[in-house]
Amino acid sequence: MTVRRLLVGLAAAAAVVIALFVFVPTGTYLYLPNGAHPLDERVQVEGEKPQDDTGGIYYVDVTVRPANWLERLLGPWRPDGATLVPESEVVPPGSTRGIERRASLAAMARSEEVAAAVALQEAGYDVEATPRGTIVEAIAADVPAVGVLRPGDIIVEAGGKPVRTPAALRAAVAAVTPGEALALRVQRDDELVDLTVPTIENPSEPGQPVIGIRIAQAATIDLPLDVDIDLGDVGGPSAGLPFALDILQSLGRDIDRGYRVVATGEIELDGTVGPIGGVKQKVFGARAAGADVFLVPAGDNADEARRYAGNLRVIAVDTFQQALDELATLPPK
């Protein structure tokens, strides 16, 4: 009886330990890969042309969830392709998962509209697009801008000069010395607010100043055609490039040339393709979907993608036009 009670006690203790390891918060999150998904059924364009069943344009997303203690402490316990990150990278101090989720969905809505404008302009349509400034999508956890800027702020002036595009804001930031404060004017809700935000040195580019924010184009856009994009509950701006590619293909342009094309990258009104997060996971997702090529923003994103690409061909692009040119050079499959 004593041995039996001991075994029962040990089993109960083991169950408690396992529960602690699995269910107690760890203060960390996992980025996890998802397989890339075709866009042909997700993007509807007024007057679209029938498409064949070969190839296709694909988008790829990333799952973000809390890590348990086994996953935090034991690398082999993590799913293949996962990356462990601190909670502050997912939910900055002062924010909540709900706030970040709403900001992510808003970023997706903006990327859909901007991608449609870029694609329809390339197709020869007259698109009315008026830049209104640079919207703050997110703020890094460990920068002086925390508590000064807020997600949703629209920066309309920097260093005393008008800011209508992300490129204009980047130029204004680059004109100061790291550590120097930059005067900003932002539209917050229905009022204009003057702020002063210190810059910091870019950890990956010594000598270069940054504010430590993720930005996107704020604009008023009037499209000449109805474009409907539905990715369900997927958020973030990184599907802008594949959206634009698929819209053009829907209008009859042979974009994929019979290849399975996976793409990622935030797109701006001028066609610039900007960097995104979760590149490692997106490479895994592209490979899982049997991609022929993977289009990614040039620079650090492309460098990281190539580290995990294996035999997958990675094509680095800076602009939407470059993406079109690179795909046009592929021999028909």
Side-chain angles (χ1 to χ4, degrees):
M1 182 64 69
T2 302
V3 173
R4 184 175 181 181
R5 286 179 178 175
L6 177 61
L7 292 176
V8 170
L10 290 173
V16 170
V17 171
I18 292 173
L20 289 174
F21 266 89
V22 174
F23 298 111
V24 173
T26 65
T28 57
Y29 279 73
L30 285 178
Y31 288 167
L32 302 167
N34 293 324
H37 315 280
L39 277 173
D40 57 345
E41 297 297 326
R42 304 282 190 143
V43 177
Q44 307 298 322
V45 183
E46 181 183 352
E48 65 183 74
K49 308 293 192 298
Q51 300 184 39
D52 60 38
D53 294 331
T54 61
I57 307 298
Y58 286 63
Y59 77 96
V60 61
D61 61 344
V62 175
T63 291
V64 182
R65 68 161 172 81
N68 61 48
W69 278 101
L70 288 175
E71 292 167 333
R72 175 173 178 171
L73 298 175
L74 303 175
W77 197 267
R78 300 168 199 157
D80 195 26
T83 298
L84 186 74
V85 299
E87 183 177 18
S88 60
E89 187 170 315
V90 178
V91 185
S95 186
T96 66
R97 282 301 302 270
I99 291 174
E100 294 302 308
R101 182 63 183 153
R102 289 191 293 273
S104 179
L105 292 174
M108 169 62 76
R110 285 190 298 273
S111 75
E112 293 171 359
E113 193 173 39
V114 171
V118 170
L120 293 181
Q121 284 177 326
E122 171 64 26
Y125 288 91
D126 185 16
V127 177
E128 295 183 12
T130 305
R132 295 192 296 113
T134 300
I135 192 165
V136 178
E137 291 187 331
I139 305 167
D142 54 353
V143 298
V146 172
V148 181
L149 287 169
R150 301 175 186 172
D153 284 346
I154 298 177
I155 301 172
V156 297
E157 189 176 295
K161 297 180 179 180
V163 166
R164 294 290 177 267
T165 66
L169 178 61
R170 294 187 187 105
V173 174
V176 304
T177 302
E180 183 181 347
L182 182 64
L184 301 177
R185 175 166 289 183
V186 306
Q187 180 180 330
R188 179 173 291 170
D189 299 325
D190 295 325
E191 62 178 328
L192 291 175
V193 181
D194 290 320
L195 305 171
T196 300
V197 180
T199 61
I200 61 171
E201 185 175 55
N202 189 336
S204 60
E205 296 183 48
Q208 298 300 311
V210 293
I211 298 177
I213 59 177
R214 190 176 72 228
I215 57 177
Q217 178 71 64
T220 300
I221 297 173
D222 186 13
L223 300 175
L225 297 180
D226 289 334
V227 177
D228 182 59
I229 302 174
D230 183 7
L231 296 192
D233 62 353
V234 176
S238 64
L241 176 58
F243 287 159
L245 294 171
D246 195 74
I247 290 168
L248 261 189
Q249 178 136 311
S250 296
L251 292 172
R253 187 86 67 91
D254 184 12
I255 301 298
D256 63 36
R257 299 179 68 78
Y259 291 84
R260 186 168 292 190
V261 177
V262 178
T264 187
E266 184 172 358
I267 198 164
E268 298 179 8
L269 272 178
D270 63 0
T272 299
V273 175
I276 48 83
V279 174
K280 173 183 175 181
Q281 288 70 44
K282 291 174 181 178
V283 174
F284 275 75
R287 291 172 57 182
D292 294 304
V293 296
F294 184 33
L295 271 63
V296 297
D300 291 343
N301 278 177
D303 292 342
E304 183 176 3
R306 291 188 176 105
R307 284 200 292 272
Y308 302 101
N311 294 326
L312 174 63
R313 179 179 177 182
V314 173
I315 299 177
V317 297
D318 287 302
T319 66
F320 181 56
Q321 187 60 56
Q322 185 183 0
L324 296 177
D325 293 342
E326 291 283 354
L327 292 175
T329 64
L330 298 177
K333 186 175 181 182

